[in-house]
Amino acid sequence: MQRVDHEQRRRDIAEAVWRLLEQGGLEAATVRAVVAETGLSSGSIRYFFADQASLHAFAMSALADRVGERIRRAARNPDPRERATDMVAELMPLREDTERELRVWSAFVARSATSPRLAEHLTSQAHAIRALLHKVTSDLVGLGLLPPRTDVDAHTAHLHAVVDGLTFQLLHTPELITPDQARAVLRRALLTDQK
């Protein structure tokens, strides 16, 4: 008897939701469509997810997990300036894979206005991003790459706004800024005292 790899199956399901969402928006990412996309039975899908809201919430969380893993890898960079830039850059659509993820994430954000479960995940993810940016800023101060008088909370809020603004431009008005320019703006925002 073949053993089912539940984690791999869940990843496959999340990927199917993302593909369907890219093709037709969140409305297209139904349980029935995921069944057709994955070739799994509806019973297999329902084994993991009680309803469509659970399926969507999982797919949104799986995106965050994927980004988190890349941030952890970027945190191994021994150069502190590059490490900080690389970690935060994973939050932005600077490559084809991250652009895809952020387009999918944007659809979840739009749906969160009418989905309490997605809204809860969105709030949790926003707090996690803010905590990451706060840690990166604190580390830069601790390493002497930002002045000791830096207001870490204010710098973190500024950095969060820069990341969100650059992400919006890269996704919706890419003619205004290239990924290389966005990375340079991010690096300046990270390493420049805002006072």
Side-chain angles (χ1 to χ4, degrees):
M1 180 178 227
Q2 186 177 4
R3 182 174 169 81
V4 175
D5 182 343
H6 291 296
E7 281 310 306
Q8 182 59 50
R9 185 160 285 177
R10 288 167 65 89
R11 284 191 295 271
D12 293 344
I13 291 168
E15 282 280 352
V17 171
W18 301 337
R19 283 192 303 275
L20 290 163
L21 191 149
E22 288 176 293
Q23 295 164 12
L26 208 52
E27 298 76 23
T30 63
V31 171
R32 181 176 294 172
V34 171
V35 166
E37 182 77 10
T38 61
L40 298 170
S41 69
S42 60
S44 293
I45 302 293
R46 294 205 186 278
Y47 173 82
F48 296 107
F49 310 104
D51 54 25
Q52 193 161 297
S54 299
L55 177 65
H56 291 167
F58 167 74
M60 186 178 188
S61 293
L63 273 177
D65 292 345
R66 181 184 277 195
V67 173
E69 179 54 38
R70 287 198 310 264
I71 290 170
R72 285 187 288 281
R73 283 196 304 267
R76 298 181 197 134
N77 188 328
D79 180 295
R81 288 178 178 87
E82 289 306 311
R83 177 173 59 240
T85 305
D86 290 349
M87 288 171 69
V88 178
E90 288 299 335
L91 301 171
M92 297 166 45
L94 299 178
R95 301 183 310 270
E96 189 175 317
D97 62 329
T98 54
E99 179 182 347
R100 176 188 182 227
E101 289 170 357
L102 281 158
R103 288 194 183 284
V104 168
W105 186 78
S106 293
F108 287 127
V109 170
R111 177 55 68 90
S112 71
T114 58
S115 168
R117 182 173 271 165
L118 290 182
E120 182 180 317
H121 281 279
L122 177 63
T123 299
S124 174
Q125 289 175 9
H127 284 283
I129 290 168
R130 183 60 66 99
L132 168 69
L133 298 176
H134 193 277
K135 179 176 180 358
V136 167
T137 299
S138 296
D139 289 350
L140 291 170
V141 172
L143 291 166
L145 297 173
L146 284 172
R149 63 180 169 74
T150 299
D151 181 335
V152 174
D153 290 336
H155 193 276
T156 299
H158 173 79
L159 186 56
H160 202 164
V162 168
V163 168
D164 286 352
L166 290 171
T167 296
F168 183 88
Q169 287 183 28
L170 287 162
L171 289 177
H172 302 291
T173 54
E175 68 276 6
L176 294 179
I177 193 164
T178 67
D180 287 342
Q181 290 169 330
R183 186 176 172 89
V185 170
L186 170 62
R187 186 178 170 95
R188 280 194 302 275
L190 271 164
L191 297 168
T192 303
D193 184 17
Q194 300 307 310
K195 289 190 176 185

Coordinates of all heavy atoms in Angstrom, one line a residue, residues 33-91:
A33 N -13.2 23.1 -8.8 CA -12.2 23.4 -9.8 C -10.8 22.8 -9.3 O -10.0 22.4 -10.1 CB -12.0 24.9 -10.0
V34 N -10.6 22.9 -8.0 CA -9.3 22.3 -7.5 C -9.3 20.8 -7.7 O -8.3 20.2 -8.0 CB -9.2 22.6 -6.0 CG1 -8.0 21.9 -5.3 CG2 -8.9 24.1 -5.8
V35 N -10.5 20.1 -7.5 CA -10.6 18.7 -7.8 C -10.2 18.4 -9.3 O -9.4 17.5 -9.5 CB -12.0 18.2 -7.5 CG1 -12.3 16.8 -8.1 CG2 -12.3 18.2 -6.0
A36 N -10.7 19.2 -10.2 CA -10.4 19.0 -11.6 C -8.9 19.4 -11.9 O -8.3 18.6 -12.7 CB -11.3 19.9 -12.5
E37 N -8.4 20.4 -11.3 CA -7.0 20.8 -11.5 C -6.0 19.8 -10.9 O -5.0 19.5 -11.6 CB -6.8 22.2 -10.8 CG -5.4 22.7 -11.0 CD -5.2 23.4 -12.4 OE1 -6.2 23.5 -13.2 OE2 -4.0 23.7 -12.7
T38 N -6.3 19.2 -9.8 CA -5.4 18.3 -9.2 C -5.6 16.8 -9.5 O -4.7 16.0 -9.4 CB -5.4 18.4 -7.6 OG1 -6.8 18.0 -7.2 CG2 -5.1 19.8 -7.2
G39 N -6.8 16.5 -10.0 CA -7.1 15.1 -10.2 C -7.5 14.3 -9.0 O -7.7 13.1 -9.0
L40 N -7.5 15.0 -7.8 CA -7.9 14.4 -6.6 C -9.4 14.3 -6.5 O -10.1 15.1 -7.1 CB -7.3 15.2 -5.4 CG -5.8 15.3 -5.3 CD1 -5.4 16.3 -4.2 CD2 -5.2 13.9 -5.0
S41 N -9.9 13.4 -5.6 CA -11.3 13.4 -5.4 C -11.8 14.5 -4.5 O -11.0 15.1 -3.8 CB -11.7 12.0 -4.8 OG -11.2 12.0 -3.5
S42 N -13.0 14.8 -4.6 CA -13.6 15.9 -3.7 C -13.4 15.4 -2.2 O -13.2 16.2 -1.3 CB -15.0 16.2 -4.0 OG -15.8 15.1 -3.9
G43 N -13.5 14.1 -2.0 CA -13.3 13.6 -0.6 C -11.9 13.9 -0.1 O -11.7 14.2 1.0
S44 N -10.9 13.7 -1.0 CA -9.5 14.0 -0.7 C -9.3 15.5 -0.3 O -8.6 15.8 0.7 CB -8.6 13.6 -1.8 OG -8.6 12.3 -2.0
I45 N -10.0 16.3 -1.1 CA -9.8 17.8 -0.8 C -10.5 18.1 0.5 O -10.0 18.8 1.4 CB -10.5 18.6 -1.9 CG1 -9.8 18.3 -3.3 CG2 -10.4 20.1 -1.6 CD1 -8.4 18.8 -3.5
R46 N -11.7 17.5 0.7 CA -12.4 17.8 1.9 C -11.8 17.1 3.2 O -12.1 17.5 4.3 CB -13.9 17.3 1.8 CG -14.6 18.2 0.7 CD -16.1 18.3 0.9 NE -16.7 18.9 -0.2 CZ -16.8 20.3 -0.3 NH1 -16.3 21.0 0.7 NH2 -17.4 20.8 -1.3
Y47 N -10.9 16.1 2.9 CA -10.2 15.6 4.1 C -9.3 16.6 4.7 O -9.1 16.7 5.9 CB -9.3 14.4 3.5 CG -8.3 13.9 4.6 CD1 -8.8 12.9 5.5 CD2 -7.0 14.3 4.6 CE1 -7.9 12.4 6.4 CE2 -6.1 13.7 5.6 CZ -6.6 12.8 6.5 OH -5.7 12.3 7.4
F48 N -8.8 17.5 3.9 CA -7.9 18.6 4.4 C -8.7 19.9 4.7 O -8.3 20.6 5.6 CB -6.8 18.9 3.4 CG -5.9 17.8 3.1 CD1 -5.9 17.1 1.9 CD2 -4.9 17.5 4.1 CE1 -5.0 16.1 1.7 CE2 -4.0 16.4 3.8 CZ -4.1 15.7 2.6
F49 N -9.7 20.2 3.9 CA -10.4 21.5 4.1 C -11.9 21.3 4.1 O -12.5 20.7 3.2 CB -10.0 22.4 2.9 CG -8.6 22.4 2.6 CD1 -8.0 21.8 1.6 CD2 -7.8 23.2 3.5 CE1 -6.6 21.8 1.4 CE2 -6.4 23.2 3.3 CZ -5.8 22.5 2.3
A50 N -12.5 21.7 5.2 CA -14.0 21.5 5.4 C -14.8 22.3 4.4 O -15.9 21.9 4.0 CB -14.3 22.0 6.8
D51 N -14.3 23.5 3.9 CA -15.1 24.3 3.0 C -14.1 25.2 2.2 O -12.9 25.1 2.4 CB -16.1 25.2 3.8 CG -15.4 26.0 4.9 OD1 -14.2 26.3 4.8 OD2 -16.1 26.4 5.8
Q52 N -14.7 25.9 1.3 CA -13.9 26.7 0.4 C -13.1 27.8 1.1 O -12.0 28.1 0.8 CB -14.8 27.4 -0.7 CG -14.1 28.0 -1.8 CD -15.0 28.2 -3.0 OE1 -15.5 27.2 -3.5 NE2 -15.3 29.4 -3.4
A53 N -13.7 28.4 2.2 CA -13.0 29.4 3.0 C -11.8 28.8 3.6 O -10.7 29.5 3.6 CB -14.0 30.0 4.0
S54 N -11.8 27.6 4.1 CA -10.7 26.9 4.6 C -9.6 26.7 3.6 O -8.4 26.9 3.8 CB -11.0 25.6 5.3 OG -11.9 25.7 6.3
L55 N -10.0 26.3 2.4 CA -9.1 26.1 1.3 C -8.4 27.4 0.9 O -7.2 27.4 0.8 CB -9.9 25.6 0.1 CG -9.2 25.4 -1.2 CD1 -8.1 24.2 -1.0 CD2 -10.2 25.0 -2.3
H56 N -9.1 28.5 0.8 CA -8.5 29.8 0.5 C -7.6 30.3 1.6 O -6.5 30.8 1.3 CB -9.6 30.8 0.2 CG -10.4 30.6 -1.1 ND1 -11.5 31.2 -1.4 CD2 -10.1 29.7 -2.1 CE1 -12.0 30.8 -2.5 NE2 -11.1 29.9 -3.0
A57 N -8.0 30.1 2.8 CA -7.2 30.5 3.9 C -5.9 29.7 4.0 O -4.8 30.3 4.2 CB -7.9 30.4 5.3
F58 N -5.9 28.5 3.7 CA -4.7 27.6 3.6 C -3.8 28.1 2.5 O -2.6 28.2 2.7 CB -5.0 26.2 3.4 CG -3.8 25.4 3.1 CD1 -2.9 25.1 4.0 CD2 -3.6 24.9 1.8 CE1 -1.7 24.4 3.7 CE2 -2.5 24.2 1.4 CZ -1.5 24.0 2.4
A59 N -4.4 28.4 1.3 CA -3.6 28.8 0.2 C -2.9 30.1 0.5 O -1.7 30.4 0.1 CB -4.4 28.9 -1.1
M60 N -3.6 31.0 1.2 CA -3.0 32.3 1.5 C -1.8 32.1 2.5 O -0.8 32.7 2.4 CB -4.1 33.2 2.1 CG -3.6 34.6 2.4 SD -5.0 35.6 3.1 CE -4.2 37.2 3.1
S61 N -2.1 31.3 3.5 CA -1.0 31.0 4.5 C 0.2 30.3 3.9 O 1.3 30.5 4.3 CB -1.6 30.1 5.6 OG -2.5 30.8 6.4
A62 N -0.1 29.4 2.9 CA 1.0 28.7 2.2 C 1.9 29.7 1.5 O 3.1 29.5 1.4 CB 0.5 27.6 1.3
L63 N 1.3 30.7 0.9 CA 2.1 31.8 0.3 C 3.1 32.4 1.3 O 4.3 32.6 1.1 CB 1.3 32.9 -0.3 CG 0.7 32.7 -1.7 CD1 -0.2 33.9 -2.1 CD2 1.9 32.6 -2.7
A64 N 2.5 32.8 2.5 CA 3.3 33.4 3.5 C 4.5 32.4 4.0 O 5.6 32.9 4.2 CB 2.5 33.8 4.7
D65 N 4.2 31.1 4.1 CA 5.2 30.2 4.5 C 6.3 30.1 3.5 O 7.5 30.0 3.8 CB 4.5 28.8 4.6 CG 3.6 28.7 5.8 OD1 3.6 29.6 6.7 OD2 2.8 27.7 5.8
R66 N 6.0 30.2 2.2 CA 7.0 30.1 1.1 C 7.9 31.3 1.2 O 9.1 31.2 1.2 CB 6.3 30.1 -0.2 CG 7.2 30.0 -1.4 CD 6.5 30.1 -2.7 NE 6.0 28.7 -3.0 CZ 5.5 28.4 -4.2 NH1 5.5 29.3 -5.2 NH2 5.1 27.2 -4.4
V67 N 7.3 32.5 1.4 CA 8.1 33.7 1.6 C 9.0 33.7 2.8 O 10.1 34.0 2.8 CB 7.2 35.0 1.6 CG1 8.0 36.2 1.9 CG2 6.4 35.1 0.3
G68 N 8.4 33.2 3.9 CA 9.1 33.1 5.2 C 10.4 32.2 5.0 O 11.4 32.5 5.6
E69 N 10.2 31.1 4.3 CA 11.4 30.2 4.1 C 12.5 30.9 3.3 O 13.7 30.8 3.6 CB 10.9 28.9 3.3 CG 12.0 28.0 3.0 CD 12.9 27.5 4.2 OE1 12.3 27.4 5.3 OE2 14.1 27.4 4.1
R70 N 12.1 31.7 2.3 CA 13.1 32.4 1.5 C 13.8 33.5 2.4 O 15.0 33.8 2.3 CB 12.5 33.0 0.3 CG 12.2 32.0 -0.8 CD 12.1 32.6 -2.2 NE 11.1 33.7 -2.1 CZ 9.8 33.6 -2.5 NH1 9.3 32.5 -2.8 NH2 9.0 34.7 -2.4
I71 N 13.0 34.1 3.3 CA 13.6 35.2 4.2 C 14.6 34.5 5.1 O 15.7 35.0 5.3 CB 12.5 35.9 4.9 CG1 11.7 36.8 4.0 CG2 13.0 36.7 6.1 CD1 10.4 37.4 4.6
R72 N 14.3 33.3 5.6 CA 15.2 32.6 6.5 C 16.5 32.3 5.7 O 17.6 32.4 6.3 CB 14.6 31.3 7.0 CG 13.5 31.6 8.1 CD 13.0 30.4 8.8 NE 12.2 29.6 8.0 CZ 10.9 29.9 7.8 NH1 10.3 30.9 8.4 NH2 10.1 29.1 7.0
R73 N 16.4 31.9 4.4 CA 17.6 31.6 3.7 C 18.4 32.9 3.5 O 19.6 32.9 3.6 CB 17.2 31.0 2.3 CG 16.9 29.5 2.4 CD 16.9 28.8 1.0 NE 16.1 29.5 0.0 CZ 14.8 29.1 -0.2 NH1 14.2 28.1 0.5 NH2 14.1 29.7 -1.2
A74 N 17.7 34.0 3.1 CA 18.4 35.3 2.9 C 19.1 35.8 4.2 O 20.1 36.4 4.2 CB 17.4 36.4 2.5
A75 N 18.6 35.4 5.4 CA 19.1 35.8 6.7 C 20.5 35.2 6.9 O 21.2 35.6 7.8 CB 18.2 35.4 7.8
R76 N 20.9 34.2 6.1 CA 22.2 33.6 6.2 C 23.3 34.4 5.5 O 24.5 34.0 5.7 CB 22.2 32.1 5.7 CG 21.2 31.2 6.4 CD 21.2 29.8 5.8 NE 20.0 29.1 6.2 CZ 19.3 28.4 5.4 NH1 19.6 28.3 4.1 NH2 18.2 27.8 5.8
N77 N 23.0 35.4 4.8 CA 24.0 36.2 4.1 C 24.9 36.8 5.1 O 24.4 37.5 6.0 CB 23.3 37.2 3.2 CG 24.3 38.0 2.3 OD1 25.4 38.2 2.6 ND2 23.8 38.4 1.1
P78 N 26.2 36.6 5.0 CA 27.1 37.2 6.0 C 27.3 38.7 6.0 O 27.6 39.3 7.0 CB 28.4 36.5 5.8 CG 28.4 36.1 4.3 CD 26.9 35.8 4.0
D79 N 27.0 39.3 4.8 CA 27.1 40.8 4.7 C 25.9 41.4 5.3 O 24.8 41.2 4.8 CB 27.3 41.2 3.2 CG 27.5 42.7 3.0 OD1 26.5 43.4 3.3 OD2 28.5 43.1 2.6
P80 N 26.0 42.2 6.4 CA 24.8 42.7 7.0 C 23.9 43.6 6.2 O 22.7 43.6 6.3 CB 25.3 43.5 8.3 CG 26.8 43.7 8.0 CD 27.2 42.6 7.0
R81 N 24.5 44.5 5.3 CA 23.7 45.3 4.4 C 23.0 44.5 3.4 O 21.8 44.7 3.2 CB 24.7 46.4 3.7 CG 25.2 47.4 4.6 CD 26.1 48.4 3.8 NE 26.6 49.4 4.7 CZ 27.7 49.4 5.4 NH1 28.4 48.3 5.5 NH2 28.0 50.4 6.2
E82 N 23.7 43.6 2.8 CA 23.0 42.7 1.8 C 22.0 41.8 2.4 O 20.9 41.6 1.9 CB 24.1 41.9 1.0 CG 24.9 42.8 0.0 CD 24.0 43.6 -0.9 OE1 23.1 43.0 -1.5 OE2 24.3 44.8 -1.0
R83 N 22.3 41.3 3.6 CA 21.4 40.4 4.4 C 20.1 41.2 4.6 O 19.0 40.7 4.3 CB 22.0 40.0 5.7 CG 21.1 39.1 6.5 CD 21.7 38.6 7.7 NE 22.3 39.6 8.6 CZ 23.5 39.7 8.9 NH1 24.5 38.9 8.5 NH2 23.9 40.7 9.8
A84 N 20.1 42.4 5.1 CA 18.9 43.2 5.4 C 18.1 43.4 4.1 O 16.9 43.2 4.0 CB 19.3 44.5 6.0
T85 N 18.9 43.8 3.0 CA 18.2 44.1 1.8 C 17.6 42.8 1.2 O 16.4 42.9 0.7 CB 19.2 44.7 0.8 OG1 19.8 45.9 1.3 CG2 18.5 45.1 -0.5
D86 N 18.3 41.7 1.2 CA 17.8 40.5 0.7 C 16.6 40.0 1.4 O 15.6 39.5 0.8 CB 18.9 39.4 0.7 CG 20.0 39.6 -0.3 OD1 19.9 40.5 -1.1 OD2 21.0 38.9 -0.1
M87 N 16.6 40.1 2.7 CA 15.5 39.6 3.5 C 14.2 40.4 3.2 O 13.1 39.9 2.9 CB 15.8 39.8 5.0 CG 16.8 38.8 5.5 SD 17.3 39.1 7.2 CE 15.8 38.7 8.1
V88 N 14.3 41.8 3.2 CA 13.1 42.6 2.9 C 12.7 42.5 1.5 O 11.5 42.5 1.2 CB 13.4 44.0 3.4 CG1 12.2 44.9 3.1 CG2 13.7 44.1 4.9
A89 N 13.7 42.3 0.6 CA 13.3 42.2 -0.8 C 12.4 41.1 -1.1 O 11.7 41.1 -2.1 CB 14.6 42.1 -1.7
E90 N 12.5 40.0 -0.3 CA 11.6 38.9 -0.5 C 10.1 39.2 -0.4 O 9.2 38.5 -0.8 CB 12.0 37.7 0.4 CG 13.3 37.0 0.0 CD 13.3 36.4 -1.4 OE1 12.2 36.1 -1.9 OE2 14.4 36.3 -1.9
L91 N 9.8 40.4 0.2 CA 8.4 40.8 0.4 C 7.9 41.5 -0.9 O 6.7 41.9 -0.9 CB 8.3 41.8 1.6 CG 8.8 41.2 2.9 CD1 8.8 42.3 4.0 CD2 7.8 40.1 3.4

